[in-house]
Amino acid sequence: MESTALKPQFSEAAKAEIERICKQYPDDRRKSAMLPVLHIAQAEFGGWVSPEVQDLVADVLGIKPIEVYEVSSFYTMFNLKPVGKHVLEICRTGPCMLRGSDELTAHLERITGAKVGGPASEDGLFTLKEVECLAACGFAPIVQVREQYYEQLDTPEA
């Protein structure tokens, strides 16, 4: 017997954008639209892609759910559990670590109340994530919030 719980559905605006994106690829290559469709899904469903949302993406693209799971779990830009309003991504690769990303992480945990790898802060405002290279090694350490980089955060003033 099928569950009577409501399955997630894209808004009409999201459906239109997904179709616009998918038209850029041959019909037998809709899978190629997966990354932008996952971004739309994440924006549409509260900043994260639940298994049900990933299933919806698979259905829209006409592919197997495992194909979506493989991609969404590989890239740190996709959140697989609920997140706070602001997701702070802290680079943890060598150059950032040499310039104090561990201290920066500890400081951000203190001031936000969130813990790296843990749930959002109690007020629901912040999620902290350690991520691999943000490609700004010359400006280390670095934090990304949405599309904005905050660089050279290696001093108390910064």
Side-chain angles (χ1 to χ4, degrees), residues 58-74:
D59 187 50
V60 165
L61 295 176
I63 60 177
K64 296 176 184 168
I66 188 63
E67 295 175 276
V68 178
Y69 303 158
E70 290 169 341
V71 170
S72 62
S73 64
F74 177 79

Side-chain angles (χ1 to χ4, degrees), residues 3 11 33-34 48 51 71 75 95 99 104 107 131 142 150 155 158:
S3 171
S11 67
M34 189 184 317
W48 70 295
V71 170
Y75 291 105
R99 296 282 311 270
L104 175 60
H107 178 69
V131 297
I142 186 167
Y150 296 89
T155 65

Side-chain angles (χ1 to χ4, degrees), residues 25-135:
Y25 304 98
D27 287 340
D28 64 337
R29 299 282 192 251
R30 283 179 68 97
K31 180 179 177 178
S32 300
M34 189 184 317
L35 290 178
V37 172
L38 277 167
H39 280 293
I40 291 168
Q42 185 161 275
E44 183 96 343
F45 296 104
W48 70 295
V49 288
S50 68
E52 295 80 13
V53 169
Q54 293 175 66
D55 290 348
L56 173 62
V57 169
D59 187 50
V60 165
L61 295 176
I63 60 177
K64 296 176 184 168
I66 188 63
E67 295 175 276
V68 178
Y69 303 158
E70 290 169 341
V71 170
S72 62
S73 64
F74 177 79
Y75 291 105
T76 59
M77 63 190 147
F78 299 115
N79 301 308
L80 302 179
K81 57 186 177 182
V83 294
K85 182 177 179 180
H86 308 288
V87 178
L88 285 66
E89 297 178 305
I90 308 155
C91 183
R92 50 164 266 142
T93 51
C96 284
M97 292 186 88
L98 288 171
R99 296 282 311 270
S101 66
D102 288 342
E103 293 84 358
L104 175 60
T105 298
H107 178 69
L108 289 173
E109 286 181 335
R110 278 192 305 278
I111 66 172
T112 65
K115 298 287 182 207
V116 169
S121 57
E122 283 187 31
D123 59 10
L125 289 178
F126 300 101
T127 294
L128 300 180
K129 288 174 65 175
E130 287 184 324
V131 297
E132 291 303 318
C133 189
L134 291 171

Side-chain angles (χ1 to χ4, degrees), residues 7-38:
K7 293 181 180 179
Q9 296 296 316
F10 284 113
S11 67
E12 291 304 314
K15 287 179 188 176
E17 180 63 8
I18 290 166
E19 277 310 305
R20 185 193 69 74
I21 291 166
C22 287
K23 285 181 181 176
Q24 297 174 16
Y25 304 98
D27 287 340
D28 64 337
R29 299 282 192 251
R30 283 179 68 97
K31 180 179 177 178
S32 300
M34 189 184 317
L35 290 178
V37 172
L38 277 167

